[in-house]
Amino acid sequence: MEIARAAAGLFMRHGLRATRAEDIARAAGVAPRTFYRYFASKEESLAPLFHAGVEKWAEAVRDAPADLSVPQALRHAVVQTLTPGVGVRPESMDWVRALLRLAEGSPALLRVWGEACQGAERTLAQVLKARASAAGGGAGALAGGGTEFRLGAAVAGAAVRVAVEAWAAGDEPADGPAGPVALAVRHLEALSDFPWGAV
């Protein structure tokens, strides 16, 4: 994570192209060979930050009050993890915006972001499965190999990911009506006809 933070800082100050893996290693206080023990490329060095961010949301769904329905738990988790000053430091949202903008211009970095989002979807699928089991439901999904849980996680994950990416592409404040929380909640509400009861 220290290497990832060092990489993020250098990328934001100097740009992705001007930053070398050796620069990141030096900023993190490690040898280049240590850098390459963990990461195959400078872009991959951001993976821990991306993973930590998206996994936090999936874990917040898990930790949402048990009496909440799936849509309510998803919205609760969005508010808990994306609201500046509540679940995330305001300056962290500046980092999110800057790094996602960098990713848009770099296929390699966009792949790292996509892999982090896919990993969070897998976590979220397990969370939805556990919530259904605790509520005594989801038997049909379990019998079907859990594909309903995977679909539900993919749909919810995409709704939140697109909200964060859309916010990052603009200049709206993170806590405003066009911030990531507001956009994600609107996206989730647009999915009101999704058969959440099957998950």
Side-chain angles (χ1 to χ4, degrees):
M1 188 59 83
E2 288 303 315
I3 295 173
R5 289 192 185 103
L10 289 173
F11 290 159
M12 290 192 300
R13 283 194 301 275
H14 305 297
L16 187 63
R17 185 168 295 186
T19 302
R20 301 171 306 149
E22 291 76 13
D23 300 325
I24 298 168
R26 187 180 312 108
V30 300
R33 70 170 180 261
T34 301
F35 176 93
Y36 286 113
R37 189 180 319 140
Y38 290 105
F39 308 108
S41 68
K42 62 183 182 181
E43 292 85 1
E44 285 186 15
S45 67
L46 286 186
L49 282 177
F50 284 156
H51 280 282
V54 294
E55 290 285 340
K56 186 176 180 183
W57 176 67
E59 291 164 3
V61 177
R62 180 196 63 210
D63 298 337
D67 61 336
L68 296 184
S69 67
V70 168
Q72 291 169 334
L74 294 171
R75 286 193 297 272
H76 174 84
V78 163
V79 172
Q80 292 300 309
T81 58
L82 291 177
T83 302
V86 176
V88 64
R89 295 190 321 260
E91 58 270 22
S92 293
M93 295 307 293
D94 295 335
W95 280 46
V96 168
R97 171 172 270 159
L99 295 176
L100 288 181
R101 285 181 174 180
L102 282 175
E104 282 301 316
S106 166
L109 192 52
L110 198 57
R111 179 181 55 77
V112 174
W113 167 243
E115 288 173 355
C117 292
Q118 276 194 319
E121 280 181 18
R122 288 190 290 274
T123 299
L124 184 57
Q126 292 302 313
V127 167
L128 295 177
K129 183 176 177 179
R131 287 184 74 91
S133 296
L142 291 169
T147 57
E148 290 85 348
F149 297 117
R150 290 176 56 199
L151 176 60
V155 168
V160 176
R161 176 182 53 77
V162 169
V164 173
E165 290 174 350
W167 165 77
D171 296 312
E172 295 293 332
D175 56 357
V181 172
L183 291 175
V185 167
R186 284 204 294 274
H187 290 182
L188 290 168
E189 286 172 352
L191 298 170
S192 59
D193 291 335
F194 187 80
W196 295 110
V199 244

